[in-house]
Amino acid sequence: MQDSIISIVKKGNKSSGIAMIGNAIIAASKFIAGAVSGSGAMFATAMHSSADAVNQGFVYIGSILAEKQPTTRFPTGFGRVINIFCMVAVIVVTIMAYETIREGWHLLQEPEGSEGGGFLLNLLVLFLNITVDGAILIKAMKEINIESRSNAKGLGIVRGAFKNVGRAAPPTRLVFYEDLVAVTGALLALFAVVVISITHFELLDGFVTILIGLLMIAVAFRVGYDNMVGLIGVAAPKDIEERVANMIFKDEDVTDINKIRILQEGRYYHVEALIELREGLSLAVADDIKFRVQDNLLSDPDISDVGISIIEDNGVLDWKK
């Protein structure tokens, strides 16, 4: 029983699991620092880190459930389960964003002076925040490049991550967006803490707190949109379609692709294709070719389900790149 639980947990999205632990530690540190110093910006980033930890916990569980094998009742598998968990995460981020903006508005109306003894504590916690969230962000960028099969290396993983984030698994996308905002928010909070300690311009605390809240709303909107599309079902990118077509044409008995539809669910693809075979084949041989093409497609780790239909070559070229 223990081995089975461990094997199931290992299937979960690693980026979200690591991010959950890291953000929980950061959130606790920030709340302590915010309580000691009275910094609104620190409170805002603590709320953001708390939202991140809760979200990534939800998403990690969802990513485990999404890896379950198809059953008789659910023949297409559980890939879209992760989209549901990500939508729950969006609700949590939105609530936290509202509380953050409300706190920022309160600080604009009634600025709170920062305690001198809390300044160094704030700096220490924010540097910890930037280090940990920065490491998680880099991890998420690497995961995006792996999941999208990008060959980016070194500093190229940054460009590759922004370019291919739409092809990554929903949990990886959520971690990427949230930690991108987390690092930005921590830098803003650091700026506010340092400037207020030097200039005593305490209204800046409220402005930065509201700005962090707005960034959280932007993340909620982006992640919510991506997962709404995922729940509805979205066509795979053109280069994925080309890749699948090339795999089909590798079989020498396939002459054309009459129709093809590739649906993306999470980071996996469902393929349905009507292929044309060379003339004069018996039904038994044609069936063998169909199953051969199907097995070849299923050997791709990104393809979870394949449905192939066959017809005889109609003499018309239907597939165009």
Side-chain angles (χ1 to χ4, degrees):
M1 182 68 178
Q2 186 178 5
D3 290 340
S4 63
I5 293 174
I6 293 173
S7 64
I8 291 171
V9 169
K10 283 182 177 179
K11 292 181 180 179
N13 182 269
K14 293 182 177 61
S15 293
S16 57
I18 294 170
M20 173 188 66
I21 297 170
N23 279 297
I25 295 171
I26 292 171
S29 303
K30 287 179 179 177
F31 276 122
I32 294 172
V36 172
S37 67
S39 169
M42 183 62 72
F43 170 81
T45 57
M47 292 291 282
H48 187 193
S49 295
S50 299
D52 285 353
V54 172
N55 287 345
Q56 288 148 2
F58 271 117
V59 170
Y60 182 67
I61 295 171
S63 68
I64 294 173
L65 296 176
E67 293 292 330
K68 288 185 65 178
Q69 294 299 313
T71 64
T72 304
R73 188 176 181 187
F74 301 101
T76 60
F78 298 84
R80 297 191 191 187
V81 169
I82 187 59
N83 296 103
I84 298 174
F85 276 79
C86 285
M87 291 302 287
V88 173
V90 167
I91 295 172
V92 174
V93 171
T94 304
I95 294 172
M96 294 292 192
Y98 166 74
E99 292 295 332
T100 301
I101 292 172
R102 192 175 72 166
E103 174 66 15
W105 182 252
H106 171 72
L107 288 171
L108 287 178
Q109 294 176 320
E110 299 179 18
E112 297 180 7
S114 180
E115 300 292 335
F119 174 71
L120 291 178
L121 179 60
N122 281 343
L123 288 183
L124 180 63
V125 170
L126 287 172
F127 278 123
L128 174 66
N129 181 184
I130 293 169
T131 301
V132 174
D133 272 327
I136 294 171
L137 181 60
I138 293 171
K139 170 68 175 173
M141 288 180 176
K142 290 179 179 178
E143 289 291 327
I144 289 171
N145 283 283
I146 291 171
E147 292 171 0
S148 63
R149 296 193 176 186
S150 169
N151 295 322
K153 295 180 181 179
L155 294 177
I157 66 168
V158 178
R159 182 175 178 274
F162 280 96
K163 180 181 177 182
N164 299 310
V165 63
R167 300 178 192 175
T172 308
R173 288 203 302 266
L174 184 137
V175 172
F176 172 74
Y177 287 131
E178 286 196 338
D179 278 274
L180 186 63
V181 172
V183 172
T184 304
L187 290 171
L188 287 170
L190 182 63
F191 172 76
V193 167
V194 172
V195 170
I196 291 171
S197 69
I198 297 173
T199 66
H200 300 288
F201 179 53
E202 293 167 357
L203 286 176
L204 181 62
D205 202 13
F207 285 123
V208 169
T209 301
I210 291 174
L211 181 56
I212 292 172
L214 293 175
L215 289 173
M216 292 168 70
I217 288 178
V219 167
F221 177 81
R222 180 70 219 188
V223 174
Y225 173 79
D226 285 348
N227 285 280
M228 179 183 67
V229 169
L231 283 170
I232 295 170
V234 62
K238 285 294 181 183
D239 64 325
I240 298 297
E241 189 177 83
E242 290 285 346
R243 192 173 94 200
V244 171
N246 289 335
M247 292 178 70
I248 293 173
F249 279 120
K250 279 184 178 179
D251 195 295
E252 59 184 11
D253 291 310
V254 177
T255 59
D256 198 7
I257 298 175
N258 190 280
K259 294 179 183 177
I260 189 169
R261 185 177 73 169
I262 307 174
L263 188 69
Q264 182 174 0
E265 289 190 354
R267 64 177 292 260
Y268 297 105
Y269 301 100
H270 292 285
V271 179
E272 295 178 11
L274 175 60
I275 63 175
E276 299 178 18
L277 305 181
R278 60 185 175 86
E279 297 179 0
L281 296 174
S282 67
L283 183 59
V285 172
D287 270 345
D288 288 342
I289 296 169
K290 180 182 77 171
F291 290 122
R292 192 167 67 209
V293 172
Q294 185 171 292
D295 291 342
N296 183 40
L297 290 174
L298 286 173
S299 67
D300 189 308
D302 294 335
I303 298 175
S304 62
D305 184 54
V306 176
I308 298 291
S309 300
I310 55 175
I311 58 173
E312 193 173 62
D313 193 338
N314 61 10
V316 178
L317 182 62
D318 297 296
W319 173 254
K320 296 180 178 64
K321 289 188 178 181

